[in-house]
Amino acid sequence: MMIDYDVKEHLHQVLDTLPQGVRLVAISKYHPNEYIEAAYAEGQRIFGESHEQELRLKHASLPKDIEWHFIGHLQTNKVKYIAPYVSMIEAVDSLRLLREINRQAERCGRVVKVLLELHIAEEATKYGLTLDDCRQLLADGEWRQMEHVRICGLMMMASNVGDQAQIRREMLTARDFFSEVKAAYFAHDDAFCERSWGMSDDYLIAVETGSTMVRIGTSIFGPRVY
Ligand SMILES: *Cc1c(COP(=O)(O)O)cnc(C)c1O
């Protein structure tokens, strides 16, 4: 298949705007392997997918040093398929899912990195933990016994709106909440350091509001064909 989109050019345009310390997760969902290979050839190694089956096929046929992030809503019955190879599961939105990731990671002798997904946006997603749910999950403490997951930080999606001030407010809420949780539970855990926010339309605001990991698809690979 021919690539009819200049992935290389667009990838570098994005990378050039990211300050040091902000990593790029190239969101490749719905895009063919050739697009991923074009970014890989430029040194990109972290890619994000949101469907288990699509990820399975891509993982099987693409270079093994790619770090795959699962960024979508993950059903517990799908965890077993990605646990053997996934690098990070970004959108953990329940204790039940966290338990299942721990269970499946243990079965394959791995430690899977995860982020807790916050629901702060007004309407962008119906998934994610409210701040109080997240406080509750951490206060419960069951996660401390889970040796096969490592909670590395927080993830969120801002509202899909044109109002930049609202997007900024939501991201600042996430940043403040990160500080709260870091101080309360992870003050001595260097692994808890990731703030995953920012997509094609709002990643510059995300960088300004302390994101460490932006998840960008369209600006690199062009529009998705569903
Ligand atoms: C699709 C998706 C992205 C990337 O969105 P773009 O607007 O294409 O950059 C980021 N995060 C999540 C959770 C997504 O599902």
Side-chain angles (χ1 to χ4, degrees), residues 168-179:
R168 187 179 301 272
R169 261 197 317 276
E170 292 175 359
M171 289 175 173
L172 287 173
T173 298
R175 187 178 73 177
D176 290 348
F177 189 73
F178 176 93
S179 302

Side-chain angles (χ1 to χ4, degrees), residues 8-177:
K8 177 179 172 179
E9 162 90 14
H10 289 94
L11 173 69
H12 285 292
Q13 276 171 8
V14 168
L15 287 172
D16 286 349
T17 61
L18 296 182
Q20 275 209 333
V22 179
R23 283 182 303 152
L24 171 65
V25 183
I27 305 301
S28 48
K29 63 190 183 192
Y30 295 100
H31 291 294
N33 284 356
E34 287 77 4
Y35 281 47
I36 299 173
E37 284 162 347
Y40 182 91
E42 297 306 305
Q44 179 64 27
R45 289 294 179 273
I46 313 176
F47 292 87
E49 292 280 337
S50 58
H51 294 96
E52 179 274 317
Q53 234 183 344
E54 183 177 355
L55 175 53
R56 193 191 320 179
L57 294 171
K58 287 174 171 172
H59 168 258
S61 56
L62 286 161
K64 290 298 172 271
D65 63 341
I66 288 179
E67 292 175 39
W68 293 105
H69 285 208
F70 195 89
I71 59 157
H73 178 67
L74 181 58
Q75 292 171 287
T76 48
N77 62 353
K78 300 282 175 65
V79 174
K80 58 176 172 288
Y81 300 119
I82 66 172
Y85 64 85
V86 74
S87 170
M88 180 179 274
I89 297 176
E90 290 211 16
V92 173
D93 58 2
S94 71
L95 180 57
R96 196 166 150 259
L97 177 58
L98 192 64
R99 278 186 196 130
E100 180 63 7
I101 296 168
N102 186 55
R103 202 168 76 90
Q104 296 298 338
E106 179 170 17
R107 286 185 59 196
C108 38
R110 299 189 69 221
V111 175
V112 172
K113 294 182 279 185
V114 304
L115 304 179
L116 301 176
E117 180 183 11
L118 302 177
H119 184 138
I120 292 172
E122 274 165 15
E123 39 63 41
T125 168
K126 56 183 186 295
Y127 300 115
L129 300 156
T130 65
L131 301 189
D132 276 340
D133 289 343
C134 190
R135 287 186 183 104
Q136 187 63 55
L137 186 154
L138 291 167
D140 269 355
E142 187 181 329
W143 58 275
R144 294 181 194 276
Q145 266 67 58
M146 300 182 186
E147 292 178 359
H148 295 270
V149 291
R150 178 159 300 132
I151 302 177
C152 293
L154 305 175
M155 177 269 207
M156 63 84 82
M157 243 188 292
S159 291
N160 184 17
V161 294
D163 182 352
Q164 312 262 303
Q166 180 179 345
I167 293 169
R168 187 179 301 272
R169 261 197 317 276
E170 292 175 359
M171 289 175 173
L172 287 173
T173 298
R175 187 178 73 177
D176 290 348
F177 189 73

